[in-house]
Each structure stands twice: as structure tokens, then as C-alpha cells.
Amino acid sequence: MPKDTSIKSVLIIGSGPIVIGQACEFDYSGSQAARSIREEGIKVILINSNPATIMTDPMMADQVYLLPLTVESIEQILEENQIDAVLPTMGGQTALNLAKEAAELGVWEKYNVRMIGVDIDAIDTAEDREKFRQLMFKIGVPVAPSRVANSLLEGKEFAQEIGFPLVIRPSFTLGGTGGGFVHDKSELEAALDRGLKASPIHEVLVEKAVLGWKEYELELLRDKNDNVAIICTVENLDPMGVHTGDSITVAPAMTLSDTAFQDMRNKAILMMRSLGNFAGGCNVQFALNPDTEELISVEINPRVSRSSALASKATGYPIAKIAAKLAIGYTLDELKNQITKTTSAYFEPALDYVIVKMPRWNFDKFKGANDTLGLQMKSVGEVMAIGRSFGEAIQKACQSLENNAVGLGYYGKSQMHAEELIEYIKTPKWDRIFRIKDALMGGVSVGTIAKATGIDRWFINEIKKIVDLEKEIAKYKTATLPVELLKEAKFQGFSDEQICRIMQDGNDEEIYAKRKAAGITRVYKMVDTCSAEFEAKTPYFYSTFESGNYTESKPSNRKKVIVLGSGPNRIGQGIEFDYCCVHGLLALKECGYEAIMMNCNPETVSTDFDMADKLYFEPVFWEHLWELIEHEKPEGVIVQLGGQTALKLAERLTKKGVKIIGTSFDNMDIAEDRGRFSDMLKELNIPYPNYGTAYTVDEAVEVANKVGYPVLVRPSYVLGGQRMRIVINDEEVEKAVVSLLKHIPGNKILIDHFLDRCQEAEIDAICDGEEFHVMGVMEHIEPAGIHSGDSNAVLPQFNLSPLIVETMEEYARKIAFKLNIKGLINIQFAIKDGKVYVIEANPRASRTTPFIAKAYQIPYLNVATKIMLGANKLRDFKFVKRLKGYAIKEPVFSFEKFPGVSKELGPEMKSTGEAIRFIKDLRDPYFRQLYKDRSMYLSK
């Protein structure tokens, strides 16, 4: 039966600001659902408070409400619009909890709104641990022995009954919030207390811990006729005990026997069918005893999840898009597979490649955080890599991480002894996979490692292949390296740079020349959902090496531009750059270019299969980029939209003669290099804080005394204020510089005079070489010293005098023309005693660009891209700013994931996301409270 014609309008609930455990994968699913439902001629209304996402862009829905996610906001929307149905499965736990709360208060009933994609009973069964246990018992699916407790006393009684080790799982939380392991009596009370407090209904499940079992996840879709399709099976490399969001995961499942796989499929389908009769997506997690193949179900989530974004990218099957269609009444057999366009959607994807997902952590931002991985998710982002073997995929994933890794391995870092390593890898930590490789290099056996870690021997044997090759490569130099060995190394994912470091000889250019001469170059393969059994229509590619050298990506004759993405989300560089990339792609298409996207983050909209004309799912890493340029021969590359990740590659591109679209590399470098930038400001007669540079501790102390305390100490070329410190005397300078040189040896260190207690403000602008347009002036509520990403900022300014604002705009204009900016620029100012100082300039899209575009309702990124390309000038556009009152950008933190970490804020950025809040005037009580507390958390 086709779609339900009684539904004329749908409300989609978003997931709010980004926190650890709930990131931009929900922006991806929400955007996909909105597009999918609008295709059907149904009106879409959206609510979400996150200004950085593409989902809240006016082009995504018929109406977007940027309001806090509360029942009051929902009521307001239902008052103003005629809405037939609500879809709450696309916004993570936040949306489900909000839909449930609104249902309990009778809001949906009052306005006659149907819930689609899930029903309240299903949410209850999946979230309420006791109901879930009873349902599993009823349908005969085994679960771990457990009891539900609502008080400390009950919790202690049950703990005695079940025996240690235990798991505490609070009801109704996401990303494992409040959960934890209890190994013995001494830890019990604290863990119970934390769990009961974290659960909104003060209820926890006390469960026997199945530590060391294997963990699997299945992604399912079901239509209203009860047809179920299993889209993807994902295997966790780490055994039970590490949250799936913090595990390295692999698809398809690698170590499952056929019987266990069938058993798991049958149980997953049974579980989904027993959970109400809604149509939509669902995610099931299992634990498997590696010795007996005994299977128990861990949980079921009746919504699109973090892993469904991954599964969509891994298989090429757009889960959220199809789930949205099923929710409005279609059945699986009526829909087309979106990639082949000829086969049915009721056709399970088959993979002829290996996918590896690796999480990205930011422990360096949380001093004193416990970096052992457990039930609570701690990673801030993730990367995905595609290869023809596990070795190739995992090495490509390491190259995508943006933490200077050139492949799997620490090169030149201090090595530990074998005994230490065996102890170290018993605890899951972020670098365990690197340390397992070190242990193999040191001669520890595969069996010993498997026993210490609980990781399946198959994976460790695969890593051993990498190790054996590495030992072989180390015997040669560039000139003597045999071609066969080089070929073998490329098959296993070694990068050219990595091979040089292993041989301690030559550079990556020489290796590349050598293998190109021997015909060992990348070929591009298509992600087509069906192992190439049917012809695919969508251009979604990954690179690999194979003996046939047959590439499936044929370059067209059109003029083309490559957009570089921003890699994994991390603190200081998040989803806002993805928003910029998507707009860049759309503007390129409008100007008649073929838009090519290169990125490795599976959570994002920019890596969706139909956003760009061609998508290359590759690490944003020099070697991959260069071979892609040789393959596609584009007119140029856009680096302004992908944050610091993309900017870093501009220098090598320029040296190779590749055109950088927009501002040239040399001009960008002036803005990035403190010395050149200050000389330019001096020439323009623009004030800036006194500063000096140093390479050693003694120089640093001397400079600090010259510029005057307090001073700001930091490395050059960073994003998000990494490793910045405010210091007040010689001894502290010494400490700060020693720690900097330890982490980033040989880096130039900048020492600025810190303007105490001054106002901070920033300007985002567009320049086309002839004219200059100020997009917005934002004033920070907090004083200087707190990183701009962590401060509450108000658009437009609320307290600065007209004279000061004019001065700021004048300085910004001078800088933009001097740097010959084509495209975007962001400039930070400090105002002290009525004098305006320039702190820094960023010649690229900034964190606040999307915020300003949303607040003023002007498609600034589209405009900026067209100006970079030279397709338009500023005078071709009319800008009408529609904002009544003020918009406040509020930072959102994830400190609760790291108990015991101090909450003080300083020049290093710590927030994981942001929300937007509109106020009518400055008498707003919310604003007044913020203004009153503005200096509270400032520290060094």
C-alpha cells in the first residue's frame, strides 16, 4: 500500500547542541529525513536549537524553528501550524525524551498529532530496563542476569544476589551517561548513587557484567506490513565493556560463524517484531560468548542511531531516508534502492570491501580526565575508512585521525618494554590499538595479546601482517626497496610517508615517484550496495590498490573543483565546517562546476551520497589528495571551508602549482604567521598586543619580561586555542614552555602581552577584492581570556559604542584589502579603555559563520563560495538582515562525562557544541543572568 495521504505536514524534532554521545550524525539523519519527506509533497516543519547544522538551514524545510527543545516550544509550533504527524526518531535520545514528555502531558492528543516512526510503548519498552527484560523473557531471547533498583538499599541487595563484576545502567539516558562497572564491594555505593542521579526516573539496572564477550550491532528497517530488512552487521573490535561509540568497529562482521550469524539475525528480527507495530528504523546490540557462541541481547533502540549513520555510509544504503519513507506509509518492496535506482529497497546490501570506524578523542582538553574507556562514551568524533583488506582500512583510518598519525604505529615516539606493554594493553585506552602493534613489533605472541585484551585473534593476526611487512621494509633504503615489497606495502595501506619513516630514509615524494614509475597507483572503486552485481548510478568512491588497475571513476570533461572537508569532529573544529562544505558544494553546482567532495567523517551531510557530483571517501591526507588531483585534474581546490584541516594542505598544493580557489596561500600564511601578521598591522597603523617569539625556555622568560605580565603562551598554527596558557610570572612561563616543547618539539612559541579584563568582540566578513561586506559584529559577554568558542556571544553588539564598532569595521576592511581576501575572513578584537586592538585574523570560514547566516537569514556561504570562484561580485547581491532583537550563541559543554575535571575556562577551547537563543531586548532575564555571571569561571 502506498503512502498515507492523510499526512499533509510533519514535524521533525532535532537533537539540539552537540555533546559527547550525541553528535552530528543526527544532523545527517534529520536532514535526510526532511529531504525524503518533502520529495513526497508533504510540508516539513523542523525544531532544533543548534545553529551550526545544515538541518536548521532554511533550504532544508518549509519552516525551521530555532527554539530550545522544550514542551513549551512544541506547543508554540502546534499553535502556529496545522501539523498532522510528528517524527521523533531522527533526533537521538533528546527527541525521543521530548516526544515522550509531550505525550505524557497530552500535547499531541490536544492538537490531534499522530506519532510516526515509533510509538510511545516502544520507547518505554526499549528504555525501561525492566520492561525490556520482561519482553525478552517472553519471546525467549536470553539477557544477562539482572534486577531493577530504585534505591541504594535495593541496589546493594541485588548486587549480593548476582555477584561481581556488575554493570550499573540508568534508565532513559544516552551515550552511557551515568553507567559504570563495579568490580568489587568498595566501588558499589558511589556507582549506584551516580546511576540513580543520572536517570530521570531514578532507576538503574544492576546487571551481571559479560566482560570479554564479543559485541555486535545490527541495523534493521521494518515497514508496516512487518517486512524486515537487515541493512548492516557491525562487529566491535573491542570486546564488551567499552561503549560502542568508543570502540573501533568493523563492517561486515569478520569473526562470526555462519550458525551464530543466522541465530543473531533471527533473534534481531524477532525482537523488532515484538516491539509494537510501527514502521521505521531500529538498532539491536548483542553480546556473544567467544567460547560457546552463547548469545545474549544487550539493548534495542527504536530510532536512527550513531551507528546507522555509519551503516549508511558503509553500505551506501541511506537508512534515514528510507526510514522516513516507511514512516509515512510506504513498504520496503515499493521503494527503490537509492543507489542502483533499479533494484528494490527490500534488498540487503552486500559489501566487497572492509570498513573500519575509529573514534577520535580529545583527552588533552580535559586535564586529569580518566582516559580508560568504559560504559560512558568519551570520544568527540569519528572517522571511517574503506579498503580492500582490514590492514588497508585500519591504516587509512589512522591517517584520517588528524593527530599526526601516518598509519598504524607510533614512529619516533618512546617505546615501552614488552612486559610493560602486556600490562598496558589489558586496560582499554584510546591508543590501545597502537600499543598492540608495538607489542607485536617487540615479539609478543598473538595468543598472549588476545588473552590480555579479549580482542579476537583474527584482528591481531591481521595487525601482525602489517608488523611483518614493516620489519621487512626496515631492511632497505629508498634506492634498494624492491618493487614487489612496495606493492605489498601499499596493499596493506602503508602511506608513502610511513614507509620513509620505517626506512629512515628519503621523503614521500621520492617513494611516490618510484611507485608511479612501477605503475603502483591508486584505483577508485565504487560503493554500490551490491558488490558490483548491478550497475550503480551514484558516484561514491574510495581508493585502493589492485593488480588489475581497473578504476571505476571516470573523470568527466567538465570544469571541476575539489572541496576539502574538515575530517573528524573534535573540540574546536566541529559540525559548523560541515555546514560550510555543503553550501560550498551547492554553490559550485549552481555555477556550473562539477563539485567533488573529499572527506572521511561518516557522521556528516557533506559525505552523503547525493550532495556532491562526486564523493571520494578518503582521509584528508596529502598523499590521497595528490593522487586524486592527478586523477581528476580539477581547476582548483577550496580550502577555506574545511577548518584548519584543509588550510594545512594549502602550502603543499601551492608548491605543486595547484590553484587555491579564493585567497592565495601566501596571504593566508600572513594571517597565520604571527610575525608577518604583526608587521602588516604595524604598517597599517593598527594597534595589537605586544608580543615576541621564542624557541627555548630562556628566550621565553626574556620575552615575557619585555612584553610585560600577564602573558599568553602558545604554539603557532593551532585551532581552538590548543595548549594555550595565561601565565603571571617567570616560573610559570618556564613550566608552560617546557610542556609545550615536550608535546610539539621544535615549534615556534608565541608570547603575547595579555590584555587583562578587556572586552572581546569579533567580525565575520566577505571581501571580493573590490568591496567589503561585514556579515556580523559579535560581542562576547565574558571578558577576554576565555576562548571565543567557549564564550557566550551576542549578535549584534550590545554594549560597544558606535565609535568603537566603526573603528573595528575600518580595521577589518584595511586587513581584508591588504591580505587581498577573496571569500571569507574572521577577525578577533580586544577593547581596553576605549582602544581597539586586533588579536588575530582567520582567512577562512569561522565557527560563527553559520550562526550569523541563520540569525540574519542570509545564505552567506553560498555568496562567499561564488565570490571565491570569481563567478560573482558583492554588488550582485542584496543583503537584508532579518533579526528582531538579539541572537545569543551559547556554548555547551560535556564536563559530566569526566567527573573530577575542573570546570574552569581559559584560552583553550573546551565546549563541544553550541545553541542559539533569540531575545527581544536586553531586559531579558536570561541575558541579565549571563551578564552578571560573566567572570565566574575564568582561570588560566
Side-chain angles (χ1 to χ4, degrees):
M1 190 181 124
K3 73 172 183 206
D4 186 333
T5 49
S6 66
I7 300 178
K8 304 266 190 290
S9 58
V10 173
L11 171 67
I12 296 180
I13 306 177
S15 64
I18 286 179
V19 291
I20 290 180
Q22 185 164 286
C24 59
E25 62 276 357
F26 297 112
D27 169 43
Y28 165 68
S29 51
S31 304
Q32 237 191 27
R35 282 163 57 201
S36 176
I37 292 174
R38 283 179 88 187
E39 283 177 353
E40 301 296 333
I42 295 175
K43 197 171 159 201
V44 170
I45 291 101
L46 245 172
I47 173 171
N48 195 4
S49 58
N50 188 342
T53 64
I54 197 81
M55 175 181 175
T56 51
D57 202 64
M59 66 174 195
M60 287 317 290
D62 296 282
Q63 186 144 16
V64 176
Y65 284 90
L66 283 162
L67 293 173
L69 293 167
T70 59
V71 178
E72 292 75 43
S73 304
I74 298 273
E75 287 233 44
Q76 178 194 332
I77 294 174
L78 297 179
E79 280 288 327
E80 292 173 16
N81 300 276
Q82 167 55 44
I83 289 176
D84 300 323
V86 58
L87 181 64
T89 54
M90 299 294 165
Q93 199 62 37
T94 308
L96 279 189
N97 286 356
L98 179 58
K100 186 175 181 295
E101 193 185 341
E104 284 163 2
L105 295 170
V107 175
W108 306 125
E109 214 176 345
K110 177 178 164 193
Y111 292 94
N112 202 7
V113 177
R114 274 169 51 192
M115 192 176 294
I116 55 175
V118 66
D119 53 41
I120 288 292
D121 293 342
I123 300 179
D124 269 355
T125 310
E127 291 295 333
D128 187 321
R129 302 281 175 186
E130 181 59 19
K131 283 186 183 158
F132 172 67
R133 213 174 59 120
Q134 283 167 359
L135 176 71
M136 291 302 105
F137 197 68
K138 198 173 95 191
I139 62 172
V141 175
V143 289
S146 61
R147 299 287 295 272
V148 169
N150 293 83
S151 69
L152 286 172
L153 180 67
E154 287 178 351
K156 285 180 185 163
E157 273 176 28
F158 300 150
Q160 261 175 334
E161 207 175 294
I162 301 168
F164 297 98
L166 290 172
V167 170
I168 307 285
R169 297 179 188 274
S171 289
F172 291 97
T173 61
L174 180 101
T177 307
F181 286 105
V182 181
H183 294 285
D184 53 52
K185 241 184 177 137
S186 61
E187 305 168 1
L188 183 63
E189 193 153 331
L192 276 171
D193 183 53
R194 198 166 60 240
L196 288 166
K197 282 184 180 147
S199 166
I201 55 173
H202 305 304
E203 171 181 290
V204 297
L205 186 72
V206 180
E207 181 180 273
K208 180 86 175 166
V210 284
L211 291 173
W213 286 29
K214 292 186 193 178
E215 191 169 6
Y216 293 93
E217 282 191 74
L218 279 73
E219 286 295 326
L220 296 89
L221 283 173
R222 171 174 71 167
D223 64 22
K224 58 169 194 234
N225 295 349
D226 231 7
N227 294 321
V228 179
I230 294 181
I231 306 304
C232 190
T233 312
V234 180
E235 174 168 356
N236 288 9
L237 181 111
D238 297 290
M240 286 291 288
V242 176
H243 188 284
T244 46
D246 274 351
S247 278
I248 295 176
T249 59
V250 184
M254 293 289 169
T255 67
L256 260 182
S257 70
D258 204 37
T259 43
F261 183 46
Q262 284 312 323
D263 185 26
M264 200 179 283
R265 286 179 59 103
N266 297 338
K267 290 199 163 115
I269 292 173
L270 181 66
M271 284 164 71
M272 181 152 195
R273 285 187 170 149
S274 67
L275 201 67
N277 57 358
F278 59 91
C282 173
N283 158 279
V284 186
Q285 286 174 21
F286 288 106
L288 177 95
N289 183 335
D291 306 323
T292 61
E293 292 208 332
E294 179 194 342
L295 194 66
I296 62 171
S297 65
V298 180
E299 64 178 357
I300 183 165
N301 289 311
R303 56 177 171 80
V304 176
S305 67
R306 181 179 322 99
S307 36
S308 39
L310 180 74
S312 298
K313 300 289 163 71
T315 56
Y317 190 109
I319 295 176
K321 186 171 182 177
I322 302 286
K325 295 253 200 266
L326 299 178
I328 54 176
Y330 280 101
T331 55
L332 280 164
D333 46 334
E334 294 172 327
L335 294 170
K336 289 271 171 279
N337 174 325
Q338 302 291 311
I339 281 200
T340 61
K341 301 280 204 300
T342 49
T343 53
S344 147
Y346 194 18
F347 174 85
E348 301 188 353
L351 311 188
D352 54 356
Y353 45 81
V354 183
I355 295 282
V356 171
K357 174 213 90 178
M358 269 182 119
R360 170 75 160 76
W361 290 273
N362 252 144
F363 289 118
D364 49 331
K365 294 283 185 192
F366 302 102
K367 282 279 170 291
N370 174 1
D371 66 350
T372 301
L373 307 177
L375 283 185
Q376 271 203 9
M377 185 164 159
K378 294 178 180 178
S379 63
V380 289
E382 61 189 31
V383 298
M384 179 181 104
I386 314 177
R388 278 287 167 107
S389 65
F390 176 75
E392 182 181 25
I394 195 143
Q395 298 238 53
K396 275 175 81 173
C398 294
Q399 291 151 17
S400 308
L401 281 173
E402 285 293 306
N403 58 3
N404 299 329
V406 291
L408 179 59
Y410 278 123
Y411 296 99
K413 288 260 176 76
S414 57
Q415 297 289 331
M416 292 157 106
H417 295 301
E419 298 76 57
E420 284 178 274
L421 280 168
I422 296 170
E423 259 323 291
Y424 186 84
I425 60 179
K426 282 182 181 167
T427 321
K429 286 198 171 0
W430 70 271
D431 63 346
R432 175 154 81 168
I433 189 96
F434 290 95
R435 294 300 186 189
I436 287 173
K437 185 195 163 225
D438 285 352
L440 287 166
M441 287 294 284
V444 181
S445 75
V446 171
T448 307
I449 293 176
K451 210 173 128 199
T453 58
I455 295 173
D456 193 283
R457 297 176 74 113
W458 185 87
F459 293 114
I460 295 165
N461 274 317
E462 288 296 304
I463 297 174
K464 189 163 187 323
K465 285 184 191 167
I466 295 176
V467 166
D468 294 344
L469 262 176
E470 180 160 326
K471 288 181 172 167
E472 198 51 38
I473 295 169
K475 298 175 184 167
Y476 297 97
K477 293 277 178 261
T478 311
T480 56
L481 184 68
V483 170
E484 265 315 298
L485 183 61
L486 179 55
K487 193 170 182 177
E488 191 62 18
K490 295 313 278 186
F491 278 8
Q492 281 293 331
F494 283 87
S495 68
D496 296 344
E497 171 76 18
Q498 189 179 2
I499 294 171
C500 296
R501 291 200 197 172
I502 295 167
M503 300 189 298
Q504 297 183 335
D505 178 55
N507 61 32
D508 57 347
E509 301 274 343
E510 291 166 32
I511 300 274
Y512 179 52
K514 177 165 181 150
R515 68 182 172 84
K516 201 176 165 185
I520 310 170
T521 49
R522 283 190 158 72
V523 292
Y524 295 95
K525 294 288 180 191
M526 194 180 278
V527 172
D528 58 6
T529 74
C530 56
S531 301
E533 284 174 43
F534 300 92
E535 187 193 356
K537 300 279 194 289
T538 348
Y540 168 14
F541 304 98
Y542 65 96
S543 76
T544 185
F545 290 88
E546 63 169 26
S547 357
N549 267 13
Y550 172 69
T551 189
E552 294 175 9
S553 166
K554 305 278 183 278
S556 68
N557 301 326
R558 299 174 52 194
K559 14 176 232 179
K560 29 187 171 315
V561 171
I562 295 179
V563 177
L564 287 187
S566 56
N569 268 15
R570 47 209 184 277
I571 292 179
Q573 182 167 303
I575 188 176
E576 53 280 340
F577 295 110
D578 188 60
Y579 171 90
C580 299
C581 289
V582 171
H583 271 289
L585 293 172
L586 297 175
L588 278 170
K589 287 181 175 179
E590 285 170 29
C591 294
Y593 286 87
E594 180 172 286
I596 299 176
M597 183 71 206
M598 180 175 182
N599 201 4
C600 54
N601 184 342
E603 311 177 331
T604 61
V605 180
S606 69
T607 52
D608 202 355
F609 69 94
D610 56 356
M611 268 297 158
D613 290 311
K614 273 188 171 178
L615 164 66
Y616 287 92
F617 210 104
E618 292 284 281
V620 186
F621 185 79
W622 172 254
E623 180 183 322
H624 297 85
L625 172 61
W626 180 242
E627 281 195 62
L628 179 59
I629 288 174
E630 295 219 309
H631 177 71
E632 285 284 359
K633 307 195 172 41
E635 296 216 341
V637 179
I638 294 185
V639 296
Q640 285 190 29
L641 303 174
Q644 213 63 13
T645 304
L647 262 198
K648 282 198 307 234
L649 293 164
E651 183 171 9
R652 275 187 91 168
L653 286 170
T654 306
K655 281 185 183 151
K656 286 277 197 182
V658 178
K659 182 176 172 207
I660 303 279
I661 304 275
T663 315
S664 74
F665 165 71
D666 191 56
N667 286 321
M668 290 200 271
D669 189 57
I670 294 179
E672 291 281 332
D673 179 327
R674 208 45 215 256
R676 294 179 71 186
F677 185 59
S678 302
D679 295 343
M680 182 194 84
L681 291 178
K682 199 182 243 155
E683 192 188 320
L684 294 173
N685 250 334
I686 296 176
Y688 54 91
N690 257 334
Y691 86 105
T693 54
Y695 286 95
T696 65
V697 177
D698 299 339
E699 287 174 24
V701 172
E702 197 179 317
V703 172
N705 283 303
K706 199 170 79 206
V707 300
Y709 286 107
V711 298
L712 189 60
V713 178
R714 59 178 172 172
S716 54
Y717 266 101
V718 295
L719 183 99
Q722 249 169 328
R723 306 200 181 280
M724 278 199 197
R725 294 284 171 271
I726 299 172
V727 294
I728 49 182
N729 57 34
D730 291 5
E731 183 191 349
E732 285 192 359
V733 169
E734 262 180 55
K735 224 165 78 184
V737 173
V738 167
S739 128
L740 263 182
L741 291 172
K742 191 177 98 192
H743 287 292
I744 318 177
N747 199 325
K748 182 157 76 174
I749 290 170
L750 304 175
I751 297 163
D752 300 77
H753 174 66
F754 172 64
L755 296 160
D756 220 13
R757 291 203 149 211
C758 63
Q759 263 313 114
E760 240 185 299
E762 55 185 299
I763 280 183
D764 275 288
I766 301 183
C767 183
D768 64 6
E770 294 166 27
E771 290 181 43
F772 176 81
H773 170 75
V774 172
M775 294 192 284
V777 178
M778 295 182 74
E779 180 177 352
H780 299 186
I781 296 181
E782 286 85 355
I786 289 184
H787 188 281
S788 63
D790 283 354
S791 51
N792 286 278
V794 181
L795 175 82
Q797 72 286 352
F798 62 95
N799 204 6
L800 299 172
S801 70
L803 177 66
I804 285 176
V805 176
E806 258 171 56
T807 310
M808 279 166 51
E809 290 184 0
E810 182 50 38
Y811 289 171
R813 181 180 289 110
K814 276 185 178 168
I815 292 171
F817 284 135
K818 184 75 183 164
L819 288 175
N820 197 6
I821 295 288
K822 301 264 192 320
L824 297 155
I825 185 165
N826 158 276
I827 302 179
Q828 310 262 346
F829 299 93
I831 298 103
K832 190 170 185 183
D833 307 330
K835 185 173 176 186
V836 178
Y837 297 88
V838 169
I839 303 178
E840 62 174 354
N842 296 308
R844 55 174 168 76
S846 74
R847 204 170 293 108
T848 45
T849 320
F851 177 88
I852 294 173
K854 299 279 171 67
Y856 284 147
Q857 295 172 33
I858 299 175
Y860 275 129
L861 281 143
N862 185 298
V863 173
T865 308
K866 288 176 178 169
I867 281 168
M868 279 180 230
L869 288 167
N872 291 87
K873 291 283 187 206
L874 276 167
R875 66 176 93 85
D876 302 340
F877 302 98
K878 291 226 169 8
F879 299 111
V880 186
K881 297 187 175 178
R882 299 191 188 85
L883 172 64
K884 296 185 182 69
Y886 297 85
I888 303 178
K889 181 200 74 146
E890 345 171 86
V892 175
F893 299 91
S894 299
F895 284 127
E896 70 282 357
K897 296 276 177 205
F898 303 105
V901 169
S902 76
K903 291 189 175 45
E904 21 182 72
L905 302 177
E908 181 161 6
M909 182 164 164
K910 290 180 180 171
S911 64
T912 50
E914 59 186 54
I916 188 169
R917 184 183 286 259
F918 294 98
I919 59 174
K920 283 195 186 64
D921 53 44
L922 301 175
R923 293 196 301 281
D924 190 89
Y926 177 81
F927 169 77
R928 283 169 44 199
Q929 188 60 41
L930 271 181
Y931 193 67
K932 217 162 67 194
D933 299 341
R934 65 188 181 272
S935 303
M936 257 174 42
Y937 290 110
L938 177 64
S939 99
K940 55 184 188 296

